[in-house]
Amino acid sequence: MNTKRKILITGGAGFIGSHVVRLFVQKYSNYQVFNLDALTYAGNLENLNDIENAPNYTFIKGDITDENFINELFSTHKFDSVIHLAAESHVDRSITDPLAFVKTNVIGTMVLLNAFKSCWKDNFDGKLFYHISTDEVYGTLGETGLFTESTSYDPNSPYSASKASSDHFVRAYGETYNLPYVISNCSNNYGQNQFPEKLIPLFINNIINNKPLPVYGDGNYTRDWLYVKDHADAIDLIFHEGKQSETYNIGGFNEWKNIDLVKLLCQQMDKKLNRDLGASEKLITFVKDRPGHDLRYAIDASKINKELGWKPSVTFEEGLEKTIDWYLNNENWLNNVTSGTYKSYYQKQYS
Ligand code: NAD
Ligand code: TYD
């Protein structure tokens, strides 16, 4: 293992990225960690308050689609590794504005690949481009079966189509230019610092504020949930020990139908808020379904388990409780991100 590394982490001010940045900054004092983020609505430097003055950490504000800026950045810093998380990440937003997803997720990834390639002029010894992706590229499962690393790509939403496209380009650069890469495809994450547009933090915020909980369709859609710090640990392991040119699926071994998850969340919130048991469940409202809604995602994570010894460290009940506690103790964070443009997004999406 290299004892010194200069790593560019993209999207490090977002939900998963901030946990990855913190882990690398705190665990590897011999690495220089650069966090590049455009600070879109989903990026928030408050997520990293505790490490912002660490000597091995630098924040750079910038857009991965800005070719001149990115090329300049690589020629100045000569990053030996990239962990690429920056993306537009919300399916509902991809349905209303698909082009924004092509721009950041596809073109942004291409700009980074090109900059990395020309920086090292095909001399890739000791270098790595680690692309973070999603299980949604595999499309949807029926009632049974699991996504493995060899499941065919079959994306159904503009979000998953843009992520699938970026995965293909990373792999193509590996085949065509010998660019050293690794890809991981992870299931749904939850935990602290997640923007309250995704199911769990949105519903926590609505329960706090006694607002309706908009369950899409009949609520019988299934997702496989993983605690975000367990994802960050998996990324650490794959970055250091993953085999080049390989894909790793990461999942929680933890499938929940949306409606059952929402009921569990309501029960835990009732306890935390000292409400009568059943009070929060009364907020559940079935609303119009998401178009192209994938029925079920579930990951077979046996490869990363067998080859790298990774498995989730917390149960869903424990992780959910930690998550709820964090949101209840971080009211300011929640208020800051749900003011302004968030309100008009919410109005448009759920009116
Ligand atoms: P997020 O939306 O919380 O954060 C994305 C970050 O990228 C934000 O900080 C944003 O400011 C930044 N960003 C967006 N466009 C940018 C641009 N053009 N240039 C530079 N920065 C830009 O997303 P997340 O949930 O943390 O997801 C991170 C990555 O993990 C994404 O690639 C996503 O596809 C993948 N992923 C997410 C999940 C999940 O459940 N959230 C699951 C599997 C994989
Ligand atoms: P989400 O958190 O948006 O993640 P993804 O679409 O990437 O899986 O949604 C998780 C599940 O919850 C998905 O089946 C859609 C559903 N959902 C609702 O029922 N209501 C909502 O308001 C949201 C945001 C999601």
Side-chain angles (χ1 to χ4, degrees), residues 11 13-17 37-40 42-43 62-64 85-87 89 104 132-134 159 163 186-189 194 198:
F15 167 49
I16 302 169
D37 199 296
L39 299 182
T40 68
D63 190 325
I64 56 165
L85 296 110
S89 68
T104 287
I132 306 296
S133 192
T134 166
Y159 164 64
K163 290 297 292 187
C186 188
S187 63
N188 287 61
N189 283 216
Q194 188 170 29
K198 307 275 167 62

